Amino acid sequence: MKATPLNEDIYKYIVNLVARDEEATLEIMQAHANQMGVPPIMISPEQARFVGFFLRAIKAKRVLDIGTLFGFSAAIMSQAVGVDGEVVTLEFEPVHAQSARKNFKTLGLENISLLQGPALDHMKSMPDNYFDFIMIDADKKNYLAYLEDALRLVRNGGIIAGDNAMAFGFVADQTITHMNPDYENIQSIREFNARFVAEKRMFSSFVTIGDGMLLGVVSK
Ligand SMILES: C[S@@+](CC[C@H](N)C(=O)[O-])C[C@H]1O[C@@H](n2cnc3c(N)ncnc32)[C@H](O)[C@@H]1O
């Protein structure tokens, strides 16, 4: 049987059923981000619920969030790892970082370290095998480079996630050309997806949630 297509009514039903807490958290965080002109390109509420569920299931304690924006994914991870856990989140844009810091303070989340600057620079100085879970959700042109570093930084048995695996809905659209403003990003995601599933040190799966998420459990 094929998967059930997701229409607007089913989507609303799902969010209302399982992701009302995440929606409420998002509303608080977005209010401040909007004032600062930070774009709404975060993960979706039901995807946030899934990430929170997943981190609890694997008992993650050390998590790396590549691409903070105004801090929604980091906040969800922070709640999932608990007060004795740690979330490191990486953000290039100073205004985004500022808005995320304000949000973490408002929500009283103290187990998050936000490092500002190019993510790859910070990742270079992090220790091998440190993280239980790493989510890649920053600039698409660097996705392959993030994956290489993530493979070094994640522990044996840990998980790497790649967000936007459906490339804003265009991943399988063969009619896309350079005329599409997202063409380069779409191509980067296609290359990333292919490289991700070909990686011998990972067993991968594709989750059709939000804009799609690749998950790989790492054996080293
Ligand atoms: C899609 S948003 C992240 C959304 C966030 N994960 C969430 O769901 O709440 C991508 C973020 O990555 C940041 N970014 C882009 N290039 C970056 C880089 N080289 N290093 C660190 N962050 C970067 C952008 O400024 C943006 O805030």
Side-chain angles (χ1 to χ4, degrees), residues 26 29 38-44 47-48 65-77 89-97 115-123 135-143 146 163-164 168:
L26 179 57
M29 299 183 86
V38 182
I41 51 171
M42 66 286 154
I43 57 171
S44 55
Q47 184 179 7
D65 175 46
I66 307 172
T68 313
L69 194 65
F70 55 81
F72 182 50
S73 53
I76 293 300
M77 292 171 182
T89 185
L90 307 176
E91 177 53 53
F92 179 72
E93 292 291 341
V95 174
H96 297 187
L115 307 178
Q116 206 231 302
L120 286 170
D121 289 0
H122 289 296
M123 292 169 79
M135 188 160 96
I136 301 171
D137 188 21
D139 49 327
K140 308 313 170 203
K141 72 175 188 311
N142 278 320
Y143 259 38
Y146 294 139
D163 192 36
N164 300 110
F168 332 111

Short mmCIF file of all heavy atoms in Angstrom, two decimals, residues 26 29 38-44 47-48 65-77 89-97 115-123 135-143 146 163-164 168, ligand 1:
data_model
loop_
_atom_site.label_atom_id
_atom_site.label_comp_id
_atom_site.label_asym_id
_atom_site.label_seq_id
_atom_site.Cartn_x
_atom_site.Cartn_y
_atom_site.Cartn_z
N LEU A 26 6.23 27.52 19.96
CA LEU A 26 6.60 28.23 18.73
C LEU A 26 5.98 29.63 18.70
O LEU A 26 6.64 30.60 18.30
CB LEU A 26 6.16 27.41 17.52
CG LEU A 26 6.44 28.00 16.14
CD1 LEU A 26 7.93 28.30 15.97
CD2 LEU A 26 5.97 27.05 15.04
N MET A 29 7.98 31.98 20.86
CA MET A 29 9.31 32.26 20.31
C MET A 29 9.22 33.12 19.04
O MET A 29 10.05 34.00 18.81
CB MET A 29 10.05 30.95 20.00
CG MET A 29 10.27 30.09 21.23
SD MET A 29 11.22 28.60 20.89
CE MET A 29 12.89 29.20 21.05
N VAL A 38 13.35 38.07 11.90
CA VAL A 38 13.93 36.74 11.65
C VAL A 38 12.90 35.91 10.87
O VAL A 38 11.74 35.84 11.28
CB VAL A 38 14.29 36.03 12.99
CG1 VAL A 38 14.93 34.68 12.73
CG2 VAL A 38 15.20 36.92 13.83
N PRO A 39 13.30 35.29 9.76
CA PRO A 39 12.30 34.60 8.91
C PRO A 39 11.75 33.33 9.56
O PRO A 39 12.46 32.68 10.34
CB PRO A 39 13.10 34.26 7.63
CG PRO A 39 14.52 34.23 8.07
CD PRO A 39 14.66 35.22 9.20
N PRO A 40 10.50 32.95 9.21
CA PRO A 40 9.88 31.75 9.81
C PRO A 40 10.26 30.47 9.07
O PRO A 40 9.40 29.80 8.48
CB PRO A 40 8.38 32.05 9.69
CG PRO A 40 8.28 32.88 8.45
CD PRO A 40 9.55 33.67 8.33
N ILE A 41 11.53 30.10 9.11
CA ILE A 41 11.98 28.92 8.35
C ILE A 41 12.40 27.80 9.30
O ILE A 41 13.33 27.04 9.01
CB ILE A 41 13.13 29.30 7.36
CG1 ILE A 41 14.24 30.08 8.08
CG2 ILE A 41 12.58 30.10 6.18
CD1 ILE A 41 15.49 30.30 7.22
N MET A 42 11.68 27.72 10.42
CA MET A 42 11.96 26.68 11.42
C MET A 42 11.29 25.36 11.06
O MET A 42 10.45 25.31 10.17
CB MET A 42 11.47 27.15 12.80
CG MET A 42 9.97 27.31 12.91
SD MET A 42 9.41 28.78 12.04
CE MET A 42 7.72 28.34 11.65
N ILE A 43 11.64 24.31 11.80
CA ILE A 43 10.93 23.04 11.63
C ILE A 43 9.47 23.23 12.03
O ILE A 43 9.14 24.16 12.76
CB ILE A 43 11.60 21.89 12.44
CG1 ILE A 43 11.69 22.22 13.94
CG2 ILE A 43 12.95 21.53 11.86
CD1 ILE A 43 12.14 21.05 14.81
N SER A 44 8.61 22.34 11.55
CA SER A 44 7.17 22.47 11.81
C SER A 44 6.83 21.89 13.20
O SER A 44 7.61 21.09 13.74
CB SER A 44 6.39 21.75 10.71
OG SER A 44 6.83 20.42 10.63
N GLN A 47 6.87 18.15 13.46
CA GLN A 47 8.25 17.67 13.30
C GLN A 47 9.01 17.88 14.61
O GLN A 47 9.80 17.02 15.03
CB GLN A 47 8.93 18.42 12.15
CG GLN A 47 10.32 17.92 11.84
CD GLN A 47 10.96 18.67 10.68
OE1 GLN A 47 10.40 19.66 10.19
NE2 GLN A 47 12.11 18.23 10.25
N ALA A 48 8.76 19.01 15.24
CA ALA A 48 9.38 19.29 16.55
C ALA A 48 8.95 18.21 17.54
O ALA A 48 9.75 17.72 18.34
CB ALA A 48 8.96 20.67 17.03
N ASP A 65 22.85 21.13 17.32
CA ASP A 65 21.79 21.70 16.47
C ASP A 65 22.47 22.68 15.50
O ASP A 65 22.86 23.77 15.93
CB ASP A 65 20.80 22.41 17.40
CG ASP A 65 19.70 23.15 16.69
OD1 ASP A 65 19.10 22.59 15.76
OD2 ASP A 65 19.40 24.30 17.11
N ILE A 66 22.62 22.30 14.24
CA ILE A 66 23.35 23.15 13.28
C ILE A 66 22.34 24.03 12.55
O ILE A 66 21.60 23.56 11.68
CB ILE A 66 24.17 22.29 12.29
CG1 ILE A 66 25.05 21.30 13.04
CG2 ILE A 66 25.00 23.19 11.37
CD1 ILE A 66 25.74 20.27 12.14
N GLY A 67 22.30 25.32 12.90
CA GLY A 67 21.31 26.26 12.37
C GLY A 67 20.27 26.57 13.43
O GLY A 67 19.27 25.86 13.57
N THR A 68 20.49 27.64 14.20
CA THR A 68 19.64 27.95 15.36
C THR A 68 18.37 28.69 14.96
O THR A 68 17.30 28.45 15.52
CB THR A 68 20.41 28.86 16.36
OG1 THR A 68 21.71 28.33 16.57
CG2 THR A 68 19.66 29.00 17.66
N LEU A 69 18.51 29.67 14.04
CA LEU A 69 17.43 30.62 13.72
C LEU A 69 17.03 31.33 15.02
O LEU A 69 17.89 31.86 15.72
CB LEU A 69 16.28 29.89 13.03
CG LEU A 69 15.22 30.77 12.34
CD1 LEU A 69 15.83 31.52 11.17
CD2 LEU A 69 14.04 29.94 11.86
N PHE A 70 15.75 31.32 15.40
CA PHE A 70 15.35 31.97 16.66
C PHE A 70 15.25 30.97 17.80
O PHE A 70 14.73 31.28 18.87
CB PHE A 70 14.07 32.80 16.50
CG PHE A 70 12.88 32.03 15.96
CD1 PHE A 70 12.12 31.24 16.80
CD2 PHE A 70 12.53 32.14 14.62
CE1 PHE A 70 11.02 30.54 16.30
CE2 PHE A 70 11.43 31.44 14.12
CZ PHE A 70 10.68 30.64 14.96
N GLY A 71 15.76 29.74 17.56
CA GLY A 71 15.95 28.81 18.67
C GLY A 71 14.88 27.76 18.88
O GLY A 71 14.91 27.04 19.88
N PHE A 72 13.95 27.59 17.92
CA PHE A 72 12.85 26.64 18.14
C PHE A 72 13.35 25.20 18.26
O PHE A 72 13.06 24.51 19.24
CB PHE A 72 11.81 26.78 17.02
CG PHE A 72 10.61 25.88 17.18
CD1 PHE A 72 9.90 25.83 18.38
CD2 PHE A 72 10.16 25.08 16.13
CE1 PHE A 72 8.79 25.00 18.53
CE2 PHE A 72 9.05 24.27 16.26
CZ PHE A 72 8.37 24.22 17.46
N SER A 73 14.14 24.74 17.27
CA SER A 73 14.60 23.34 17.35
C SER A 73 15.46 23.13 18.59
O SER A 73 15.35 22.10 19.27
CB SER A 73 15.36 22.93 16.08
OG SER A 73 16.39 23.84 15.79
N ALA A 74 16.29 24.12 18.93
CA ALA A 74 17.15 23.99 20.13
C ALA A 74 16.30 23.91 21.39
O ALA A 74 16.60 23.13 22.30
CB ALA A 74 18.11 25.17 20.21
N ALA A 75 15.21 24.69 21.45
CA ALA A 75 14.35 24.67 22.64
C ALA A 75 13.68 23.30 22.80
O ALA A 75 13.59 22.76 23.90
CB ALA A 75 13.28 25.76 22.52
N ILE A 76 13.23 22.73 21.69
CA ILE A 76 12.60 21.41 21.71
C ILE A 76 13.61 20.36 22.18
O ILE A 76 13.31 19.48 23.00
CB ILE A 76 12.08 21.06 20.28
CG1 ILE A 76 10.93 22.00 19.89
CG2 ILE A 76 11.70 19.60 20.15
CD1 ILE A 76 9.72 21.96 20.80
N MET A 77 14.85 20.48 21.70
CA MET A 77 15.91 19.54 22.09
C MET A 77 16.27 19.72 23.56
O MET A 77 16.50 18.75 24.28
CB MET A 77 17.15 19.78 21.22
CG MET A 77 16.94 19.40 19.77
SD MET A 77 18.34 19.96 18.78
CE MET A 77 17.82 19.45 17.15
N THR A 89 24.06 24.78 20.00
CA THR A 89 23.40 25.24 18.79
C THR A 89 24.26 26.29 18.09
O THR A 89 24.89 27.12 18.76
CB THR A 89 21.95 25.72 19.09
OG1 THR A 89 21.30 26.05 17.86
CG2 THR A 89 21.92 26.93 20.01
N LEU A 90 24.32 26.23 16.76
CA LEU A 90 25.26 27.04 15.99
C LEU A 90 24.53 27.98 15.05
O LEU A 90 23.66 27.53 14.28
CB LEU A 90 26.17 26.11 15.16
CG LEU A 90 26.89 24.99 15.95
CD1 LEU A 90 27.68 24.10 14.99
CD2 LEU A 90 27.81 25.58 17.00
N GLU A 91 24.87 29.26 15.09
CA GLU A 91 24.17 30.25 14.25
C GLU A 91 25.15 31.30 13.72
O GLU A 91 25.93 31.86 14.47
CB GLU A 91 23.05 30.91 15.05
CG GLU A 91 22.30 31.99 14.30
CD GLU A 91 21.73 31.57 12.96
OE1 GLU A 91 21.02 30.56 12.88
OE2 GLU A 91 22.04 32.24 11.94
N PHE A 92 25.03 31.57 12.43
CA PHE A 92 25.89 32.53 11.75
C PHE A 92 25.42 33.98 11.93
O PHE A 92 26.21 34.88 12.21
CB PHE A 92 25.94 32.17 10.26
CG PHE A 92 26.78 33.09 9.44
CD1 PHE A 92 28.16 33.07 9.55
CD2 PHE A 92 26.19 33.98 8.57
CE1 PHE A 92 28.94 33.93 8.80
CE2 PHE A 92 26.95 34.85 7.81
CZ PHE A 92 28.34 34.82 7.92
N GLU A 93 24.11 34.20 11.77
CA GLU A 93 23.57 35.57 11.74
C GLU A 93 23.43 36.15 13.15
O GLU A 93 22.68 35.61 13.97
CB GLU A 93 22.18 35.58 11.09
CG GLU A 93 22.16 35.27 9.61
CD GLU A 93 22.78 36.38 8.76
OE1 GLU A 93 22.88 37.52 9.26
OE2 GLU A 93 23.15 36.07 7.63
N PRO A 94 24.09 37.30 13.42
CA PRO A 94 24.02 37.88 14.77
C PRO A 94 22.59 38.17 15.23
O PRO A 94 22.26 37.92 16.39
CB PRO A 94 24.82 39.18 14.65
CG PRO A 94 25.69 38.99 13.46
CD PRO A 94 24.99 38.05 12.54
N VAL A 95 21.73 38.65 14.34
CA VAL A 95 20.35 38.99 14.76
C VAL A 95 19.57 37.72 15.13
O VAL A 95 18.81 37.70 16.11
CB VAL A 95 19.61 39.78 13.66
CG1 VAL A 95 18.16 40.00 14.01
CG2 VAL A 95 20.31 41.12 13.44
N HIS A 96 19.80 36.65 14.38
CA HIS A 96 19.13 35.38 14.70
C HIS A 96 19.61 34.89 16.08
O HIS A 96 18.80 34.47 16.92
CB HIS A 96 19.43 34.32 13.64
CG HIS A 96 18.92 34.65 12.27
ND1 HIS A 96 18.96 33.77 11.22
CD2 HIS A 96 18.34 35.78 11.78
CE1 HIS A 96 18.44 34.33 10.14
NE2 HIS A 96 18.06 35.56 10.45
N ALA A 97 20.91 34.98 16.28
CA ALA A 97 21.48 34.52 17.56
C ALA A 97 20.93 35.34 18.72
O ALA A 97 20.56 34.79 19.77
CB ALA A 97 23.01 34.62 17.51
N LEU A 115 26.61 29.08 19.99
CA LEU A 115 27.90 29.56 19.48
C LEU A 115 27.66 30.31 18.18
O LEU A 115 27.10 29.74 17.23
CB LEU A 115 28.86 28.39 19.24
CG LEU A 115 29.08 27.44 20.43
CD1 LEU A 115 30.02 26.30 20.05
CD2 LEU A 115 29.63 28.19 21.63
N GLN A 116 28.05 31.56 18.15
CA GLN A 116 27.79 32.37 16.96
C GLN A 116 28.99 32.39 16.01
O GLN A 116 30.14 32.39 16.46
CB GLN A 116 27.43 33.79 17.40
CG GLN A 116 26.56 34.50 16.39
CD GLN A 116 27.11 35.85 16.04
OE1 GLN A 116 27.29 36.67 16.93
NE2 GLN A 116 27.38 36.06 14.76
N GLY A 117 28.70 32.37 14.70
CA GLY A 117 29.75 32.36 13.68
C GLY A 117 29.51 31.23 12.72
O GLY A 117 28.51 30.51 12.85
N PRO A 118 30.42 31.03 11.73
CA PRO A 118 30.21 29.93 10.78
C PRO A 118 30.25 28.57 11.51
O PRO A 118 31.21 28.30 12.25
CB PRO A 118 31.40 30.07 9.81
CG PRO A 118 31.91 31.46 10.02
CD PRO A 118 31.62 31.83 11.43
N ALA A 119 29.23 27.76 11.29
CA ALA A 119 29.11 26.49 12.02
C ALA A 119 30.35 25.62 11.83
O ALA A 119 30.83 25.00 12.79
CB ALA A 119 27.86 25.75 11.54
N LEU A 120 30.88 25.58 10.61
CA LEU A 120 32.02 24.69 10.36
C LEU A 120 33.23 25.06 11.21
O LEU A 120 33.98 24.19 11.65
CB LEU A 120 32.39 24.70 8.87
CG LEU A 120 31.42 23.95 7.96
CD1 LEU A 120 31.73 24.23 6.49
CD2 LEU A 120 31.45 22.44 8.23
N ASP A 121 33.41 26.37 11.45
CA ASP A 121 34.55 26.81 12.28
C ASP A 121 34.42 26.24 13.69
O ASP A 121 35.39 25.75 14.27
CB ASP A 121 34.61 28.34 12.38
CG ASP A 121 35.05 28.97 11.06
OD1 ASP A 121 35.30 28.21 10.10
OD2 ASP A 121 35.11 30.21 11.00
N HIS A 122 33.23 26.30 14.24
CA HIS A 122 33.02 25.77 15.60
C HIS A 122 33.15 24.25 15.62
O HIS A 122 33.72 23.68 16.56
CB HIS A 122 31.64 26.17 16.12
CG HIS A 122 31.52 27.63 16.42
ND1 HIS A 122 32.25 28.24 17.42
CD2 HIS A 122 30.77 28.60 15.86
CE1 HIS A 122 31.95 29.52 17.46
NE2 HIS A 122 31.06 29.77 16.52
N MET A 123 32.62 23.60 14.59
CA MET A 123 32.63 22.13 14.58
C MET A 123 34.05 21.58 14.53
O MET A 123 34.35 20.54 15.10
CB MET A 123 31.79 21.61 13.40
CG MET A 123 30.30 21.90 13.59
SD MET A 123 29.32 21.61 12.11
CE MET A 123 29.13 19.83 12.14
N MET A 135 21.61 17.44 14.39
CA MET A 135 20.66 17.81 13.33
C MET A 135 21.27 18.88 12.42
O MET A 135 21.71 19.93 12.90
CB MET A 135 19.34 18.31 13.90
CG MET A 135 18.32 18.50 12.78
SD MET A 135 16.63 18.53 13.37
CE MET A 135 16.38 20.26 13.50
N ILE A 136 21.28 18.60 11.13
CA ILE A 136 21.82 19.53 10.13
C ILE A 136 20.66 20.32 9.54
O ILE A 136 19.77 19.74 8.89
CB ILE A 136 22.57 18.74 9.03
CG1 ILE A 136 23.71 17.92 9.63
CG2 ILE A 136 23.08 19.69 7.94
CD1 ILE A 136 24.37 16.93 8.66
N ASP A 137 20.67 21.64 9.76
CA ASP A 137 19.56 22.48 9.27
C ASP A 137 20.04 23.92 9.07
O ASP A 137 19.35 24.86 9.45
CB ASP A 137 18.39 22.42 10.28
CG ASP A 137 17.13 23.10 9.75
OD1 ASP A 137 17.00 23.26 8.53
OD2 ASP A 137 16.27 23.48 10.58
N ALA A 138 21.23 24.07 8.47
CA ALA A 138 21.73 25.42 8.19
C ALA A 138 21.80 25.60 6.67
O ALA A 138 20.96 25.06 5.95
CB ALA A 138 23.08 25.65 8.88
N ASP A 139 22.77 26.38 6.18
CA ASP A 139 22.89 26.65 4.75
C ASP A 139 23.11 25.36 3.96
O ASP A 139 23.97 24.54 4.30
CB ASP A 139 24.02 27.66 4.48
CG ASP A 139 25.31 27.27 5.20
OD1 ASP A 139 25.23 26.69 6.29
OD2 ASP A 139 26.38 27.52 4.62
N LYS A 140 22.32 25.20 2.89
CA LYS A 140 22.30 23.93 2.16
C LYS A 140 23.62 23.67 1.42
O LYS A 140 24.02 22.53 1.25
CB LYS A 140 21.13 23.88 1.17
CG LYS A 140 19.76 24.22 1.79
CD LYS A 140 19.47 23.50 3.09
CE LYS A 140 18.23 24.02 3.79
NZ LYS A 140 18.21 23.76 5.25
N LYS A 141 24.32 24.74 1.00
CA LYS A 141 25.56 24.53 0.24
C LYS A 141 26.63 23.85 1.08
O LYS A 141 27.54 23.22 0.55
CB LYS A 141 26.07 25.86 -0.36
CG LYS A 141 26.64 26.84 0.63
CD LYS A 141 27.21 28.06 -0.09
CE LYS A 141 27.97 29.02 0.81
NZ LYS A 141 27.32 29.41 2.06
N ASN A 142 26.53 23.96 2.38
CA ASN A 142 27.51 23.32 3.27
C ASN A 142 27.03 21.99 3.85
O ASN A 142 27.71 21.42 4.70
CB ASN A 142 27.87 24.27 4.43
CG ASN A 142 28.92 25.29 4.01
OD1 ASN A 142 29.87 24.95 3.30
ND2 ASN A 142 28.75 26.53 4.44
N TYR A 143 25.89 21.50 3.40
CA TYR A 143 25.35 20.25 3.99
C TYR A 143 26.34 19.08 3.91
O TYR A 143 26.47 18.33 4.86
CB TYR A 143 24.05 19.86 3.27
CG TYR A 143 22.77 20.21 4.02
CD1 TYR A 143 22.64 21.39 4.75
CD2 TYR A 143 21.67 19.36 4.00
CE1 TYR A 143 21.46 21.71 5.42
CE2 TYR A 143 20.49 19.66 4.67
CZ TYR A 143 20.39 20.83 5.39
OH TYR A 143 19.21 21.13 6.05
N TYR A 146 28.93 19.59 6.50
CA TYR A 146 28.38 19.32 7.84
C TYR A 146 28.31 17.81 8.10
O TYR A 146 28.59 17.35 9.20
CB TYR A 146 26.98 19.94 8.00
CG TYR A 146 26.96 21.45 7.95
CD1 TYR A 146 25.95 22.14 7.28
CD2 TYR A 146 27.94 22.21 8.58
CE1 TYR A 146 25.92 23.52 7.23
CE2 TYR A 146 27.92 23.60 8.53
CZ TYR A 146 26.91 24.24 7.85
OH TYR A 146 26.90 25.62 7.81
N ASP A 163 17.73 17.90 7.75
CA ASP A 163 16.40 18.46 7.51
C ASP A 163 16.26 18.95 6.06
O ASP A 163 17.26 19.11 5.36
CB ASP A 163 16.12 19.61 8.49
CG ASP A 163 14.65 20.01 8.47
OD1 ASP A 163 13.79 19.12 8.31
OD2 ASP A 163 14.35 21.21 8.58
N ASN A 164 15.02 19.17 5.64
CA ASN A 164 14.69 19.63 4.28
C ASN A 164 15.07 18.60 3.23
O ASN A 164 15.46 18.96 2.10
CB ASN A 164 15.34 20.98 3.96
CG ASN A 164 14.89 22.08 4.89
OD1 ASN A 164 15.67 22.55 5.72
ND2 ASN A 164 13.63 22.48 4.79
N PHE A 168 12.10 21.54 -0.06
CA PHE A 168 10.98 22.49 -0.18
C PHE A 168 9.90 21.96 -1.15
O PHE A 168 9.17 22.72 -1.78
CB PHE A 168 11.46 23.88 -0.63
CG PHE A 168 12.87 24.19 -0.21
CD1 PHE A 168 13.90 24.28 -1.14
CD2 PHE A 168 13.19 24.35 1.14
CE1 PHE A 168 15.21 24.52 -0.76
CE2 PHE A 168 14.50 24.60 1.53
CZ PHE A 168 15.52 24.68 0.59
C1 LIG B 1 16.45 26.72 8.54
S1 LIG B 1 17.14 27.80 9.70
C2 LIG B 1 17.28 26.79 11.14
C3 LIG B 1 15.97 26.47 11.78
C4 LIG B 1 16.08 25.85 13.15
N1 LIG B 1 16.84 24.62 13.09
C5 LIG B 1 14.71 25.54 13.70
O1 LIG B 1 14.07 24.61 13.19
O2 LIG B 1 14.25 26.23 14.62
C6 LIG B 1 18.81 27.90 9.17
C7 LIG B 1 19.69 28.81 10.03
O3 LIG B 1 21.05 28.52 9.70
C8 LIG B 1 21.77 29.73 9.75
N2 LIG B 1 23.01 29.60 8.97
C9 LIG B 1 23.19 29.79 7.63
N3 LIG B 1 24.47 29.60 7.31
C10 LIG B 1 25.12 29.28 8.44
C11 LIG B 1 26.48 28.96 8.75
N4 LIG B 1 27.42 28.92 7.80
N5 LIG B 1 26.78 28.69 10.03
C12 LIG B 1 25.83 28.72 11.01
N6 LIG B 1 24.53 29.00 10.77
C13 LIG B 1 24.18 29.28 9.51
C14 LIG B 1 20.79 30.76 9.17
O4 LIG B 1 21.17 32.07 9.53
C15 LIG B 1 19.48 30.29 9.77
O5 LIG B 1 19.22 30.98 10.97
#
